[in-house]
Amino acid sequence: MIGNSAYKNVPRLANPVNDAGLVGGMLKKVGFDVVDVKQDLGGAEMRRTLREFGSKSRDADVAVVYYAGHGMEVDGNNYLIPTDALLETDTDVYDEAFPLDRVLVSIESAKQLRLVILDACRDNPFAKTMKRTVASRAIGRGLAKVEPTSPNTMIAFAAKAGSTASDGDSRNSPFAVALSDHLPKPGLDLRKAFGFVRDDVLKTTSYKQEPYVYGSLGGDDVSLVPVKPVAAPGPQANPQDSVRRDYELALQIATREVWTAFLAQYPDGFYASLAKGQLSRIAAEEARAAAADKARQAEEEKARLATERAQKAEQEKAAAAAKAAEDARLAAEKAKQIEEAKAAAAEQRRKEAEASAAKALAEKQAAEKAKADLQAKLAAESAAKQAAAERAVQQPASETQSAAETQKVAALAAPPTSSLSPAELAKSVQSELRRVGCLTSSTDGEWNATSQRSLTQFNKYAGTKFDVKLASIDALDALKAKQGRVCPLICERGFKADGDNCAKITCRAGYRVNDDNECEKVQDKKPIATRDDSKPRDDERKKVESAPAKPQATGQIYCDSRGCRPVQKGCRVEVAIGQVGHREVCN
């Protein structure tokens, strides 16, 4: 924390020393390991301070540099001015002032966050007396815009690039007061914190001074003061764990003696039933082995009798015994397979039961963790309120404002009752309304008519009376207290409620779903008798009868140069006298 007030060659600044002490005290209070507050540093002291701080922050997670005093911009580059600077010409800046890049080098080794806060945008008195060596060299008003090249680096200006900041009328500048109010809030993302700082400074300066932040951070929230984790309750011991461990050990050994000892220790319960199934499987395997051994002996006896030329009756008897033994072996093999299938099915049921119990335990722990997170957030908000109250009590009574004005400002600057923005609060309430079955649309954070109807449904079925025109913390707490569905499930026509889902109604052949979502029989359509209109048929018959008869052919064919055709009725074909060929002659 560097505060330069006692400049030797320009008028003294009132607030930088006080501002550095205020911000440094705030960082010590929130638990920073190393906080160095330096005042009125000359060039050599400032160089040594930056070098020492670079060594201290080499292994740090977060490194912060706060500078209050004079600064200036030359040819687009920003410089911090020590108290013994003379700056007679514009080129003296390169020798007597410190470039902003030198400050960034001193904190570049920090692992998670590098933050530089410059309360140095004041009206520069050196620019009025400084001689220009080159007319084209630009000397700006305030500081110039910067774009950090290192990741997770933020640079905050007390005033927007190209504008100047005000010291205010009190002991500290408006920018320093706003920083001490919002940066120490546990868990508050830096981008939101500097947004609140901007709003406070704009209101205090009648919208003449607007702080600005340059740089970028990742998608995760980055806070200067993390929320202290609340120890989650450890997993509760399951009384079945010891039984399960003994069962799994017995399953690895898998002998009759081990299963008998397990049943003696645990004669009843789920695992006892599984152990009995394993014993049945072992008995089936032993029976199969005995039958196989007996079959083998029978085959050997059969071979022996055949070799010794035994009587036929003895050979047939041995063959029958061998066949019976083989049948017994096959039956025992089948019985073994059945018992193994039963044991496998029982083992699968055991694994499913254990997975269901583990899932239920995980859901319970997740609910307890969510409850603990909410309690931690409420505790953080309560701590922020208490800190604001302590600052109000410690403020000196010699302030230029009256007690009534101080009370009014404190009321205006009171921290919000919740760190959630209206959109985040609305989205959280929508998400909980979907969980209890009162909202079917998406959770977009916009509190619209659909969301209001959903909260109305919740009031109706939960017996609450929350204001549906806005999303509130009380409504969110009430929703989170509900463990299951609150609003009934409403399905479209053709579907019926099945737990938390809508299932399609299926009717048997000859039935259909009616308007009451019930299956009813389809009525067969009866044929409708119609009168045959005979008038068109009679008119057609009369028309045919009244038409003249068509000429009928004689059966002869007459051909000429135009082609061939039947000879018309009443005509005949004759030989043409004095001509070659025939002709058609008609009456």
Side-chain angles (χ1 to χ4, degrees), residues 261-510:
F262 181 87
L263 286 173
Q265 180 69 24
Y266 307 105
D268 299 318
F270 175 68
Y271 289 97
S273 300
L274 296 178
K276 292 176 182 177
Q278 294 293 338
L279 272 178
S280 299
R281 182 185 63 80
I282 292 175
E285 173 63 22
E286 291 175 348
R288 183 200 66 79
D293 185 63
K294 189 174 182 181
R296 180 182 57 78
Q297 293 176 1
E299 286 292 335
E300 291 176 354
E301 180 67 15
K302 176 183 176 182
R304 186 184 66 79
L305 291 176
T307 303
E308 296 177 355
R309 301 176 181 269
Q311 295 180 359
K312 185 177 180 181
E314 292 179 355
Q315 292 180 355
E316 291 177 352
K317 182 179 179 181
K323 185 177 184 301
E326 180 64 16
D327 293 340
R329 185 188 67 80
L330 294 176
E333 182 72 24
K334 186 175 180 180
K336 172 200 170 184
Q337 294 175 356
I338 294 173
E339 292 300 332
E340 286 181 345
K342 290 181 179 179
E347 182 65 17
Q348 181 64 26
R349 289 195 299 272
R350 177 186 72 83
K351 293 180 180 180
E352 292 175 354
E354 291 177 355
S356 177
K359 182 178 179 183
L361 181 60
E363 291 177 351
K364 180 179 178 182
Q365 292 177 353
E368 292 176 352
K369 184 177 183 301
K371 182 177 179 181
D373 292 342
L374 179 60
Q375 292 176 352
K377 183 178 290 186
L378 294 177
E381 294 173 359
S382 176
K385 290 182 181 179
Q386 184 176 359
E390 291 177 357
R391 286 198 301 275
V393 173
Q394 295 174 0
Q395 187 175 5
S398 61
E399 294 289 341
T400 55
Q401 297 176 341
S402 64
E405 292 172 344
T406 303
Q407 234 175 13
K408 180 178 180 182
V409 171
L412 288 174
T417 58
S418 174
S419 61
L420 295 175
S421 65
E424 291 174 339
L425 180 58
K427 190 171 183 179
S428 300
V429 175
Q430 288 174 342
S431 177
E432 291 298 322
L433 286 172
R434 279 180 63 88
R435 184 181 63 79
V436 299
C438 297
L439 178 64
T440 58
S441 61
S442 60
T443 57
D444 52 5
E446 181 179 354
W447 193 254
N448 49 25
T450 303
S451 302
Q452 294 177 9
R453 287 194 298 271
S454 301
L455 187 54
T456 301
Q457 288 290 98
F458 178 77
N459 285 336
K460 175 180 177 182
Y461 292 102
T464 56
K465 296 181 180 180
F466 296 114
D467 186 2
V468 301
K469 294 183 179 180
L470 50 86
S472 62
I473 290 293
D474 294 337
L476 179 60
D477 293 340
L479 284 163
K480 288 183 176 180
K482 300 296 182 181
Q483 297 298 324
R485 173 182 287 277
V486 176
C487 298
L489 179 64
I490 300 176
C491 299
E492 299 179 355
R493 182 179 177 273
F495 293 82
K496 63 181 179 179
D498 185 7
D500 291 337
N501 300 312
C502 291
K504 187 176 181 179
I505 300 175
T506 304
C507 299
R508 61 180 178 175

Side-chain angles (χ1 to χ4, degrees), residues 231-245:
Q236 298 179 356
N238 190 346
Q240 292 291 323
D241 285 348
S242 60
V243 183
R244 176 177 57 81
R245 286 193 297 269

